[in-house]
């Protein structure tokens, strides 16, 4: 099995955990640690949030010697133009694909969303950045809906898509089938797992076994609600079970979380049940 590339979203999704609001200086220091540990991609933030966020994204890009830096964007031309100002390596577009997200969140229809996706991909790619697409709420889309979205993304020139378990509803067997649908559409796949059912690591391992080459992680598994797939937890599980070769070795992941914990105030770690300066799993 090819080596799994970690796409770390501590600076974006992880910061949604209660008590974790990183200063710009801490974000850049965390990015340096992630880069040095061998994380392949760092999701630096959401430039549409404003000038301060854009400066952080630029700072993260300057701080990374090896990791590729990405930004997160809605299907909105204004978001994309803000990202283009930051010159990231990758512009990531979030595309809702479940009926409920399209109807309730976007107040739109599936054909309209897929047409908007094509236009947004063209704009995001206009200055040479790689474009990836995240299928939001994929766990509530049917296989046919997932297949249709994959075909639209591929026709627009996208090579990698993110299977996003937005509300943590997937089980491992469902993840395996979803990844196979996307792989059969000729796309590279990354998995973005939330831990609402306690299966973020298990789902990420299953996605890797189904052919996903990219796994989204956060330090200590922090994130919205119950959090995301923990970086060290995934690295240790991959090594222990032998089903996936992770680009970050377990020892490096452990040391990374220990060093990163020292950058944060004790109340933030306590809010997540980690205790002061104590990494995930220790």
């Amino acid at each position: 099995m090819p080596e799994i590339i970690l796409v770390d979203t501590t600076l974006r999704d992880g910061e949604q955990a209660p008590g974790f609001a990183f200063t710009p200086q801490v974000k850049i220091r965390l990015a340096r640690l992630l880069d040095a540990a061998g994380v392949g991609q760092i999701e630096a933030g959401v430039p549409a949030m404003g000038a301060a966020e854009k400066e952080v994204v630029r700072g993260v890009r300057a701080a990374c010697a090896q990791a590729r830096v990405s930004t997160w964007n809605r299907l909105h031309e204004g978001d994309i133009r803000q990202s283009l100002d930051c010159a990231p390596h990758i512009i990531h577009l979030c595309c809702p694909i479940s009926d409920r997200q399209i109807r309730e969140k976007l107040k739109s229809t599936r054909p309209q969303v897929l047409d908007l996706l094509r236009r947004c991909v063209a704009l995001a790619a206009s200055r040479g950045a790689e474009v990836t697409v995240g299928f939001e709420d994929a766990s509530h889309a049917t296989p046919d809906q997932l297949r249709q979205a994959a075909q639209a993304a591929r026709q627009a020139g996208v090579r990698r898509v993110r299977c996003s378990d937005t509300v943590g509803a997937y089980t491992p067997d469902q993840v395996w089938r979803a990844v196979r649908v996307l792989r059969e559409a000729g796309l590279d796949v990354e998995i973005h797992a939330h831990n609402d059912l306690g299966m973020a690591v298990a789902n990420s391992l299953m996605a890797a076994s189904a052919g996903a080459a990219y796994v989204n992680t956060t330090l200590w598994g922090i994130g919205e609600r119950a959090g995301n797939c923990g970086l060290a937890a995934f690295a240790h599980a991959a090594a222990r079970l032998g089903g996936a070769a992770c680009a970050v070795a377990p020892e490096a992941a452990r040391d990374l979380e220990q060093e990163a914990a020292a950058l944060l105030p004790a109340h933030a770690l306590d809010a997540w049940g980690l205790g002061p300066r104590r990494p995930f799993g220790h």
Side-chain angles (χ1 to χ4, degrees), residues 132-225:
T132 62
V133 172
F135 293 143
E136 186 178 21
D137 205 28
S139 49
H140 287 95
T142 67
D144 283 343
Q145 290 170 344
L146 197 60
R147 192 173 293 110
Q148 183 183 17
Q151 291 170 348
R154 188 178 180 193
Q155 289 168 1
V158 172
R159 293 180 296 175
R160 190 203 330 166
V161 294
R162 174 183 292 179
C163 186
S164 296
D165 187 13
T166 304
V167 295
Y170 266 143
T171 57
D173 60 323
Q174 293 171 327
V175 167
W176 194 92
R177 289 195 292 268
V179 171
R180 292 312 306 163
V181 167
L182 297 174
R183 291 292 293 138
E184 289 164 7
L187 293 163
D188 292 334
V189 180
E190 66 180 84
I191 179 66
H192 181 90
H194 279 268
N195 205 40
D196 297 70
L197 297 179
M199 291 189 285
V201 173
N203 284 340
S204 297
L205 287 168
M206 184 62 80
S209 72
Y214 301 82
V215 170
N216 287 194
T217 60
T218 61
L219 293 169
W220 318 287
I222 63 173
E224 187 179 14
R225 303 183 314 278

Side-chain angles (χ1 to χ4, degrees), residues 221-241:
I222 63 173
E224 187 179 14
R225 303 183 314 278
N228 294 276
C229 177
L231 190 153
F234 178 82
H236 279 268
R240 184 73 174 269
L241 299 177

Side-chain angles (χ1 to χ4, degrees), residues 65-176:
Q66 301 179 68
R68 305 182 76 204
V69 174
S70 61
T71 58
W72 188 96
N73 306 265
R74 298 168 297 180
L75 285 185
H76 192 287
E77 291 187 0
D79 283 25
I80 296 166
R81 295 188 191 282
Q82 296 292 337
S83 276
L84 289 170
D85 287 346
C86 301
H89 300 102
I90 299 167
I91 293 179
H92 180 77
L93 305 177
C94 179
C95 178
I97 64 166
S98 66
D99 284 337
R100 64 179 191 173
Q101 288 269 13
I102 290 173
R103 181 181 62 251
E104 303 298 333
K105 181 177 179 179
L106 299 184
K107 312 296 184 185
S108 188
T109 66
R110 190 170 302 277
Q112 289 173 329
V113 169
L114 296 182
D115 183 61
L116 178 59
L117 172 63
R118 297 182 186 97
R119 298 200 307 271
C120 286
V121 169
L123 175 60
S126 62
R127 296 188 196 170
E130 180 184 352
V131 181
T132 62
V133 172
F135 293 143
E136 186 178 21
D137 205 28
S139 49
H140 287 95
T142 67
D144 283 343
Q145 290 170 344
L146 197 60
R147 192 173 293 110
Q148 183 183 17
Q151 291 170 348
R154 188 178 180 193
Q155 289 168 1
V158 172
R159 293 180 296 175
R160 190 203 330 166
V161 294
R162 174 183 292 179
C163 186
S164 296
D165 187 13
T166 304
V167 295
Y170 266 143
T171 57
D173 60 323
Q174 293 171 327
V175 167
W176 194 92

